[in-house]
Amino acid sequence: MKKIICALVLVLIAKASFAGVNLQDMDFTRVNPSVRIKDITDVEGARGNQLTGVGLVTGLNGTGDNSQMAVQMMRNVMRNFGVTLDARSVRTRNLAVVSLTAELPPYVRPGQKIDVIASTMGNASSLQGGVLMQTPLRAADGKVYAVAQGPVVVGGSSAQGAATSRTQNVPTSARLPGGAIVEREVPSDYTMGGQVALLLREPDFTTSQRIADAINRVYGVVAYATDAGRVEINLPGQYLQAPNAFLANAGNLEIEPDQTAKVAVNERSGTIVMGGNVKISAVGVAHGNLTVTVSETPYAVQPESMSEGRTVVMNRTDITTDEEGGSVIAMPSTTTVRDMVRVLNSLGARPRDIIEILQAIDKAGALHGELVVM
């Protein structure tokens, strides 16, 4: 059976099947769920730090480097221990020069441990079974913030015989879980003059204003959105000496974040993800033997007499399918994700057909949203 890979609809279908709920009865009118403020924002001033280093992995079973770089590093290491080696006497097939990267999160104190990623820099074929020698990790300012050491964990493997070889995943990249000890913390100054600021991970003017409104409803007029990605907050009087308590309480307030209408497609894998607020204008599309017609049928809803209601113009959706002579679908111009997925499923369209249709609709100016080709 042909399937359309749509992440949003698949999740909803899975939930409906487990709960015994008919998909047609589900509420698709709410595009965005209510989320906590702490789940979509970061605190300004509380930032992490990227760390890098170059180290030497030992104990490899003949899968290491034979480059001049490995020879020189081995000589430098041994010189630190008072041993002078001649370049011709160094054998490096059990050694590998690796680059180390780590992320030092905010609020981490000296003595705590962080994960490290190691990847080969030379022609080593595998890091399996290796042990990283003590290596300092520096930030962009040149200061040492952590020291890494210990056995590496490889997620891949490789084997080689006289006539053939086999490699699974990537054996030249490895992890050191908790492999680095923090020596210096990153200063986190997130309270300046009785103020804190929240940074949106997905900047949006509507979302930033909703965050400010949610905080103001609880604490008074103390927050305002400075732009699409930042909300500045004047700490209430009772929280001037306890900003942590304010951030903990305010972070649990819930809002409905807004987002720009987007359609993301991946032509290589045939993946299509459509945001719930994507709309399509009235268009007619013919793709091979697949014909799609989108039209609008407005009608008026009259209130009862002597009531305080008002006349509202609504759209009527009529869907018909004729697979023999070509599938023809009629929908209003305010086509939503649910309507589009239902129509394309009824036509049995393939994912790559859908991608081409969406690209053509976007070129015609009828796709009201951003088309992102991955």
Side-chain angles (χ1 to χ4, degrees):
M1 184 181 66
K2 300 178 181 178
K3 296 181 180 179
I4 299 170
I5 304 176
C6 180
L8 177 61
V9 175
L10 288 177
V11 172
L12 293 175
I13 292 175
K15 289 184 178 179
S17 62
F18 281 110
V21 179
N22 189 349
L23 185 62
Q24 300 295 330
D25 298 333
M26 298 186 69
D27 182 14
F28 282 80
T29 59
R30 291 190 61 183
V31 176
N32 299 309
S34 295
V35 301
R36 298 180 301 177
I37 292 177
K38 66 192 301 181
D39 295 328
I40 59 174
T41 62
D42 294 312
V43 180
E44 186 178 49
R47 49 155 294 175
N49 216 5
Q50 293 179 333
L51 307 180
T52 60
V54 177
L56 199 62
V57 172
T58 62
L60 304 179
N61 187 20
T63 59
D65 294 338
N66 58 3
S67 63
Q68 184 61 33
M69 177 174 55
V71 173
Q72 186 62 47
M73 281 201 65
M74 186 61 185
R75 294 181 65 191
N76 293 342
V77 169
M78 297 307 295
R79 189 179 297 115
N80 292 334
F81 290 96
V83 179
T84 302
L85 293 178
D86 183 79
R88 291 174 297 181
S89 64
V90 178
R91 299 293 182 265
T92 60
R93 295 307 297 178
N94 292 342
L95 308 171
V97 180
V98 295
S99 66
L100 304 174
T101 58
E103 179 75 21
L104 181 61
Y107 318 119
V108 175
R109 300 293 189 262
Q112 292 185 281
K113 296 183 178 181
I114 58 175
D115 296 342
V116 181
I117 298 177
S119 55
T120 59
M121 299 181 65
N123 56 1
S125 59
S126 176
L127 295 177
Q128 190 168 9
V131 177
L132 176 70
M133 298 185 67
Q134 188 181 76
T135 306
L137 301 179
R138 292 180 168 85
D141 58 5
K143 298 179 180 179
V144 176
Y145 283 82
V147 176
Q149 178 178 284
V152 300
V153 179
V154 178
S157 62
S158 63
Q160 184 174 356
T164 186
S165 63
R166 179 182 178 87
T167 301
Q168 183 177 2
N169 297 332
V170 184
T172 54
S173 181
R175 294 180 60 87
L176 286 82
I181 299 177
V182 177
E183 301 292 340
R184 185 197 305 265
E185 65 181 283
V186 178
S188 299
D189 189 6
Y190 54 87
T191 57
M192 298 291 293
Q195 291 183 334
V196 295
L198 301 178
L199 304 179
L200 276 71
R201 295 171 188 163
E202 294 291 336
D204 183 85
F205 284 105
T206 303
T207 303
S208 62
Q209 187 59 53
R210 288 177 181 175
I211 292 175
D213 293 341
I215 294 175
N216 290 337
R217 282 194 294 269
V218 178
Y219 300 100
V221 184
V222 296
Y224 58 95
T226 58
D227 54 42
R230 187 173 184 271
V231 177
E232 192 169 301
I233 306 167
N234 296 314
L235 289 173
Q238 67 271 30
Y239 291 104
L240 286 174
Q241 302 301 321
N244 291 346
F246 174 80
L247 291 173
N249 296 333
N252 286 319
L253 298 178
E254 293 190 352
I255 67 162
E256 288 189 12
D258 202 7
Q259 62 181 3
T260 305
K262 290 184 180 181
V263 177
V265 298
N266 189 323
E267 294 184 279
R268 295 186 300 275
S269 62
T271 302
I272 305 168
V273 179
M274 293 183 280
N277 50 1
V278 176
K279 301 284 182 72
I280 298 176
S281 293
V283 293
V285 179
H287 181 75
N289 61 353
L290 174 64
T291 303
V292 180
T293 302
V294 183
S295 60
E296 181 178 11
T297 307
Y299 67 97
V301 177
Q302 296 286 351
E304 296 180 0
S305 59
M306 305 301 292
S307 68
E308 296 182 358
R310 58 188 179 89
T311 302
V312 179
V313 178
M314 304 291 289
N315 291 310
R316 177 180 290 112
T317 302
D318 298 319
I319 300 179
T320 59
T321 302
D322 182 7
E323 296 184 358
E324 294 294 333
S327 298
V328 179
I329 306 298
M331 292 187 302
S333 61
T334 54
T335 302
T336 62
V337 169
R338 183 191 183 193
D339 298 325
M340 175 60 72
V341 171
R342 184 172 63 242
V343 169
L344 297 176
N345 274 326
S346 67
L347 295 174
R350 296 177 301 175
R352 283 170 177 76
D353 292 331
I354 300 170
I355 291 175
E356 293 179 5
I357 291 172
L358 289 172
Q359 290 175 334
I361 293 175
D362 180 56
K363 290 295 183 181
L367 180 66
H368 301 296
E370 180 184 358
L371 181 64
V372 180
V373 182
M374 303 171 60

